[in-house]
Amino acid sequence: MIVARRLCRLALPLVLALPSAAVAQTYEAPPSFNAAQIKGIVPTGDNYTVRSPVRSDGLLRVYNLDTPYGETVAPGDQMAQMRINELRALALLEQVSSSNTFATSLANAGLSPLKYTGRLITNPVGTIQSTLSGIGGMFNRIGSGISNAGKTQDNALASLLGVTEERRALAATYGVDPYTDYPPLDAKLKQLAEAAALGGLAVRGALLAVPGAAGIVVSNLSTANKLNDISIQDLAREYTAAQILDLNRKKLLEMDVSKEITESLLANRNYTPIDMAAMVAAIDAMKTVQGRAVFFDAAAAADERANAYFMRRQAELLAAEYKRHPGYRHVITLGGLPFLVAKDGRFVTVAPLDALSWTPDTAARLEAFTKARNELVAKSQGEIRITGTATPLAKKQLKALGWTVVENQRG
């Protein structure tokens, strides 16, 4: 829905230039789906239920999840899977924090703050100035926090206190993004990370010893790509948000992304630092592809959280396609959507689209992609690879426009 609106805004100017005959055609209503029959979606859990039927908007399924924290809307299979993973992790966190073991560890911990951290709280500027020579590796963390002021969800002083360090460890153990934008999970991570930071090893051990957690929660941190040879899981656990932004900045500039686009992208808070790292790592993995900066120009324009997550997932899908078929030469955009250009001149995109149907809006977008493609290379052909399925009408209309649809693409 949100992604669809963004693509429509990008595509509409091109569609208006098409001959009227090109848009005079048959349309269809987007289908609805039984939640229990959607691959990869677990329709019920301890703290959520996916409403059924699940409607679609021509591109994505739009999920409504009923939870104890209120209704949650997730545009697309990918985002729904992310939210379900977060809800399952949240259920585990609440289970652990309600246990007698956790209560006993808190009672036995002794929550008096350390003398040194107390000084940081009461006089932060003076303390930073007077401890630079003796704090060693911790200086790099504080330095990153200052240079990325306004661009990071980490608080540099909280990193020194151990709160965000504990939060990162806790989130990684439960397989979720430590910088999650989901308010209930964000609040629970904050609460328990503070308890772990103040309570020490006993409290931390009670929180991190989760029998079977790895088999219960599917990690939102799993990706095949690495940033500077560092896995995304290790980045989430070991690096502050500011350090991750520094790594992203370095890699973006190495890919010839302009400083203006780099800083615009890094300042875009619709991405979490982990999203950004996963996206940058994915595009960086396509070493022989030229014009990779074009992808980040499009990514920087993501104006809502769902759009940003769409771009992250598309980057990972494109990287997986490149790994399978490394003959791609260029990245371009058609109507605002990134495409790869193969050696034989084909234009190929891989996108996290769940349910492609031939609605007026979908037709407008895809006709815009076609016009932009043909302006580059007359009578050219292309492939649209999607993670879901397309209706027979959508495939028929796309074939007439010179596109082959490949369904159930994985990456």
Side-chain angles (χ1 to χ4, degrees):
M1 182 170 60
I2 297 170
V3 173
R5 290 201 304 269
R6 174 178 176 266
L7 291 178
C8 188
R9 290 197 299 270
L10 293 167
L12 189 56
L14 290 169
V15 175
L16 293 176
L18 289 172
S20 59
V23 294
Q25 53 192 277
T26 301
Y27 302 115
E28 62 186 338
S32 296
F33 301 85
N34 184 332
Q37 296 176 355
I38 300 173
K39 188 175 181 179
I41 298 296
V42 180
T44 59
D46 291 340
N47 56 357
Y48 74 91
T49 300
V50 178
R51 291 186 199 168
S52 190
V54 178
R55 61 191 174 89
S56 64
D57 63 6
L59 295 174
L60 302 176
R61 283 184 273 262
V62 181
Y63 293 83
N64 295 81
L65 289 78
D66 292 319
T67 81
Y69 325 103
E71 180 186 355
T72 296
V73 179
D77 290 3
Q78 310 288 317
M79 198 159 198
Q81 289 167 359
M82 178 189 74
R83 288 292 184 239
I84 288 171
N85 291 344
E86 290 183 319
L87 283 160
R88 295 172 81 178
L90 182 53
L92 277 176
L93 284 165
E94 290 179 338
Q95 176 185 332
V96 170
S97 62
S98 300
S99 68
N100 290 332
T101 300
F102 182 67
T104 300
S105 68
L106 284 175
N108 294 336
L111 297 180
S112 299
L114 296 174
K115 180 179 179 180
Y116 192 71
T117 56
R119 184 179 176 193
L120 278 171
I121 293 171
T122 57
N123 184 22
V125 175
T127 301
I128 290 173
Q129 292 174 345
S130 66
T131 60
L132 293 184
S133 61
I135 176 174
M138 296 177 75
F139 170 66
N140 289 332
R141 292 195 294 160
I142 273 286
S144 292
I146 291 172
S147 67
N148 284 301
K151 298 193 181 91
T152 171
Q153 297 175 48
D154 246 345
N155 178 293
L157 296 181
S159 291
L160 286 180
L161 289 172
V163 171
T164 55
E165 179 182 349
E166 298 294 341
R167 178 178 173 128
R168 293 194 305 271
L170 191 60
T173 298
Y174 289 80
V176 293
D177 188 333
Y179 308 100
T180 177
D181 67 311
Y182 187 49
L185 180 58
D186 174 65
K188 180 57 70 173
L189 287 173
K190 180 178 180 181
Q191 177 194 49
L192 298 183
E194 288 178 355
L198 296 173
L201 292 176
V203 174
R204 176 173 178 166
L207 287 171
L208 300 185
V210 191
I216 297 171
V217 178
V218 180
S219 178
N220 284 341
L221 305 176
S222 297
T223 180
N225 305 297
K226 295 184 177 182
L227 187 67
N228 273 20
D229 292 324
I230 306 167
S231 72
I232 300 302
Q233 292 95 326
D234 286 344
L235 280 176
R237 185 184 293 272
E238 304 294 341
Y239 288 72
T240 67
Q243 289 174 310
I244 295 171
L245 288 178
D246 283 341
L247 290 171
N248 284 328
R249 180 183 290 108
K250 180 176 182 292
K251 190 58 66 176
L252 287 164
L253 294 174
E254 287 175 0
M255 286 189 277
D256 294 324
V257 180
S258 72
K259 185 174 181 181
E260 179 182 5
I261 292 175
T262 294
E263 295 306 321
S264 175
L265 185 62
L266 294 177
N268 189 335
R269 297 213 179 177
N270 292 306
Y271 296 94
T272 72
I274 296 302
D275 285 332
M276 189 84 67
M279 182 171 66
V280 170
I283 300 302
D284 180 59
M286 301 191 295
K287 298 294 187 184
T288 63
V289 175
Q290 298 179 26
R292 290 177 291 173
V294 169
F295 181 93
F296 297 108
D297 195 9
D303 55 357
E304 301 199 42
R305 173 66 178 136
N307 295 340
Y309 198 70
F310 179 95
M311 295 303 297
R312 171 199 164 160
R313 288 297 297 129
Q314 188 183 23
E316 292 172 320
L317 290 165
L318 290 173
E321 171 65 11
Y322 172 83
K323 186 175 181 179
R324 287 189 294 265
H325 304 104
Y328 292 105
R329 292 184 171 179
H330 300 275
V331 178
I332 63 165
T333 56
L334 300 178
L337 186 69
F339 281 74
L340 295 171
V341 182
K343 289 180 180 178
D344 60 6
R346 286 177 302 115
F347 297 85
V348 179
T349 194
V350 191
L353 302 178
D354 319 321
L356 189 59
S357 57
W358 203 250
T359 69
D361 284 348
T362 303
R365 294 175 201 110
L366 295 181
E367 286 163 352
F369 300 158
T370 304
K371 185 176 187 296
R373 183 197 70 197
N374 291 339
E375 285 178 348
L376 288 174
V377 182
K379 299 181 180 179
S380 55
Q381 300 290 308
E383 291 181 7
I384 297 176
R385 297 174 172 266
I386 61 176
T387 53
T389 58
T391 65
L393 178 59
K395 287 186 279 192
K396 176 183 176 181
Q397 297 285 22
L398 283 166
K399 183 177 180 180
L401 293 172
W403 297 104
T404 299
V405 179
V406 179
E407 301 171 291
N408 299 311
Q409 182 76 37
R410 294 295 172 236

